[in-house]
PDB file of all heavy atoms in Angstrom:
ATOM      1  N   ASP A 182      14.050   6.718  27.694  1.00  0.00           N
ATOM      2  CA  ASP A 182      14.744   7.343  26.498  1.00  0.00           C
ATOM      3  C   ASP A 182      16.252   7.235  26.591  1.00  0.00           C
ATOM      4  O   ASP A 182      16.915   6.814  25.522  1.00  0.00           O
ATOM      5  CB  ASP A 182      14.389   8.809  26.371  1.00  0.00           C
ATOM      6  CG  ASP A 182      12.860   8.991  26.202  1.00  0.00           C
ATOM      7  OD1 ASP A 182      12.461   8.980  25.021  1.00  0.00           O
ATOM      8  OD2 ASP A 182      12.125   9.279  27.167  1.00  0.00           O
ATOM      9  N   GLY A 293       2.712  18.505 -16.513  1.00  0.00           N
ATOM     10  CA  GLY A 293       1.905  17.736 -15.442  1.00  0.00           C
ATOM     11  C   GLY A 293       1.929  18.461 -14.101  1.00  0.00           C
ATOM     12  O   GLY A 293       2.256  19.666 -13.973  1.00  0.00           O
ATOM     13  N   ALA A 662     -27.889   6.966 -31.723  1.00  0.00           N
ATOM     14  CA  ALA A 662     -27.693   7.579 -33.132  1.00  0.00           C
ATOM     15  C   ALA A 662     -27.044   9.017 -32.950  1.00  0.00           C
ATOM     16  O   ALA A 662     -27.105   9.772 -33.896  1.00  0.00           O
ATOM     17  CB  ALA A 662     -28.929   7.688 -33.943  1.00  0.00           C
TER      18      ALA A 662
END
Side-chain angles (χ1 to χ4, degrees):
D182 298 277

